[in-house]
Amino acid sequence: MSLNKKSVDDINVKGKRVLVRCDFNVPLKDGKITDETRITAALPTIQKLLDDGGKVILCSHLGKVKNGPNEGESLAPVAERLSEKLGKNVVFVSDYHVTGDAATKAVEEMQEGDVVLLQNTRFRGTEETKNGEEFSKELADLADVYVCDAFGSSHRAHASVAGVTKFITAKGGENVVGYLMQKEIDFLGNAVEHPVRPFVAILGGAKVADKLNVISNLLEKCDTLIIGGGMAYTFLKAQGYEIGKSLVDDTKLDYCKEMLAKAEKLGKKLLLPVDSVTVAGFPNPIDAPVEVEVYAVADMPADREGCDIGPKTAEMYAEAVKTAKTVVWNGPMGVFENPTLAAGTIAVAKALAETEATTIIGGGDSAAAVNQLGFGDKMSHISTGGGASLEFLEGKELPGVVAADDK
């Protein structure tokens, strides 16, 4: 996958209609936006296009839209907030058809420097399906140029992410990436393909199954692979350790043995916990007070459940991070939602915050953990896409990146 893509800095949009795929999938409660990080993140690209005299048409999905179009998942609150942040009226096309007559009319009436926001792309119903050709073409009919700035959706070959580009190209238009996408490509893509070494990758989270291809791909790219979180117990069981009532995927024991053998063959370090913070029973609710006991992995009792890496492991992992020049981290070290079981995740986050290395957090739970624990501003880059960043780490081609024009 070529990572050298044309960006908004490489095109002239004066007087042109520019369709921008944003990620406005914001959390809503009673019609109010509870976290506007994604809106704020989209502003630099939008502002650049406005300053250059473009007519800016924005589109995005919101929510899963399982039961058809509904006001609870309308982008109306986003339009309101965008108007305030940009200091100008954002014309909202509330039509559930997304690209119908109302959208065409709104775009026809645009002047340079105007902004139109289309309705939730998922309302159309064909956004995610194979037969999204018609929708892709209608989106392209509204514009002269296409900008993808929604990394969180770039791993999906949807109409508004990848499908539209074919029709923009056919009419002689350009398909480029926005500043957010460019940053993700620069950090995540290049960290994996061209890392400054030593390169340390840290994988956590609950299940081995979620990260099968990531583990295999990163072993080929990194110098040290650190495993924590629930998935570590499947590796430990594969090595013959008693893991008690800890989370395990018995169908992946052979895979874990293969990965341990692969690391040895490639001369890579694969670090696993040497001690574990255990509980008698999983906390319910998840953040309830809980009593813990720490055991070396060789001494785990059969009636205990491991829920975090132990202090010796945390120290070992922090030491490994200190030697790195590039660190990629995806997935917490334990049940970080519980204050008592967050120590391992905090220790790793702190080690990343204190290193001079380029530190990249791969979206999802690890991004939430780093932000909640107050280390967000100490990281080089926090990815905006959980699923997309995982697929990047797997070495997969992302449709939204592939579809952009190469430089």
Side-chain angles (χ1 to χ4, degrees):
M1 176 166 65
S2 163
L3 298 178
N4 196 17
K5 296 294 178 180
K6 277 190 185 172
S7 82
V8 286
D9 286 332
D10 300 314
I11 54 171
N12 176 10
V13 299
K14 185 163 175 60
K16 291 182 180 172
R17 301 168 302 162
V18 189
L19 179 69
V20 188
R21 176 53 158 98
C22 298
D23 183 2
F24 292 145
N25 187 21
V26 293
L28 291 171
K29 191 173 183 186
D30 305 323
K32 294 272 180 268
I33 299 165
T34 56
D35 180 351
E36 53 190 45
T37 308
R38 287 179 167 164
I39 295 175
T40 308
L43 296 177
T45 295
I46 297 169
Q47 197 61 59
K48 157 76 175 162
L49 296 166
L50 292 174
D51 291 347
D52 289 355
K55 302 172 182 179
V56 179
I57 307 147
L58 308 172
C59 68
S60 174
H61 78 283
L62 174 63
K64 300 252 191 280
V65 192
K66 289 225 175 354
N67 305 311
N70 64 89
E71 278 309 295
E73 289 171 306
S74 165
L75 283 172
V78 174
E80 195 179 316
R81 200 70 195 92
L82 267 175
S83 296
E84 291 166 18
K85 285 187 172 288
L86 291 168
K88 61 170 24 188
N89 181 43
V90 172
V91 176
F92 179 56
V93 181
S94 58
D95 177 13
Y96 286 179
H97 191 71
V98 188
T99 51
D101 294 341
T104 306
K105 185 171 181 292
V107 171
E108 276 171 1
E109 291 170 358
M110 292 179 85
Q111 304 293 317
E112 289 182 15
D114 283 354
V115 187
V116 164
L117 173 63
L118 303 179
Q119 184 55 281
N120 188 341
T121 53
R122 298 252 169 109
F123 282 5
R124 183 59 183 271
T126 57
E127 163 78 334
E128 304 169 69
T129 60
K130 294 277 191 290
N131 54 3
E133 287 275 297
E134 189 184 340
F135 186 31
S136 298
K137 183 177 184 310
E138 288 171 19
L139 283 167
D141 285 346
L142 294 172
D144 306 303
V145 177
Y146 172 74
V147 178
C148 186
D149 210 22
F151 180 71
S153 301
S154 65
H155 58 312
R156 306 189 189 286
H158 289 174
S160 66
V161 176
V164 61
T165 60
K166 181 172 81 173
F167 296 100
I168 291 284
T169 301
K171 58 157 79 172
E174 293 174 286
N175 301 290
V176 305
V177 297
Y179 290 134
L180 257 183
M181 280 283 283
Q182 187 62 58
K183 197 172 176 222
E184 296 280 7
I185 291 168
D186 288 348
F187 278 98
L188 261 177
N190 289 319
V192 177
E193 295 308 321
H194 315 289
V196 180
R197 298 188 181 277
F199 172 26
V200 174
I202 307 168
L203 292 178
K207 300 184 184 123
V208 175
D210 294 346
K211 304 211 167 102
L212 290 178
N213 299 329
V214 182
I215 294 166
S216 187
N217 188 47
L218 283 179
L219 267 180
E220 288 167 23
K221 313 276 188 186
C222 71
D223 301 296
T224 301
L225 179 61
I226 293 173
I227 305 271
M231 61 196 273
Y233 297 101
T234 304
F235 274 91
L236 291 170
K237 185 171 180 178
Q239 287 184 316
Y241 288 110
E242 168 66 62
I243 58 161
K245 297 190 294 183
S246 307
L247 195 66
V248 67
D249 184 346
D250 286 319
T251 66
K252 297 291 177 282
L253 292 171
D254 286 342
Y255 173 83
C256 290
K257 286 175 188 166
E258 277 170 36
M259 290 304 107
L260 290 161
K262 181 173 181 171
E264 196 170 338
K265 186 180 168 200
L266 294 173
K268 305 295 175 78
K269 278 188 193 162
L270 195 157
L271 300 182
L272 289 166
V274 293
D275 59 349
S276 184
V277 176
T278 69
V279 297
F282 197 82
N284 184 16
I286 199 163
D287 57 354
V290 63
E291 288 191 11
V292 299
E293 290 172 10
V294 177
Y295 288 94
V297 293
D299 304 325
M300 170 89 85
D303 61 348
R304 304 283 296 180
E305 179 176 356
C307 282
D308 191 16
I309 57 172
K312 283 184 180 161
T313 305
E315 203 174 304
M316 175 173 79
Y317 289 1
E319 280 302 312
V321 165
K322 279 178 194 166
T323 65
K325 289 279 194 299
T326 306
V327 187
V328 172
W329 178 20
N330 186 292
M333 296 292 100
V335 187
F336 78 98
E337 299 89 344
N338 187 301
T340 314
L341 303 170
T345 302
I346 291 171
V348 169
K350 195 164 177 291
L352 263 68
E354 289 169 359
T355 178
E356 298 289 304
T358 298
T359 49
I360 299 152
I361 311 302
D365 279 347
S366 29
V370 165
N371 284 325
Q372 278 173 32
L373 301 168
F375 293 108
D377 60 344
K378 303 281 197 304
M379 304 300 157
S380 308
H381 179 61
I382 299 178
S383 178
T384 52
S389 64
L390 262 186
E391 293 199 10
F392 231 151
L393 296 177
E394 277 181 39
K396 276 190 183 174
E397 293 200 330
L398 307 188
V401 177
V402 173
D405 299 343
D406 292 329
K407 276 192 183 174

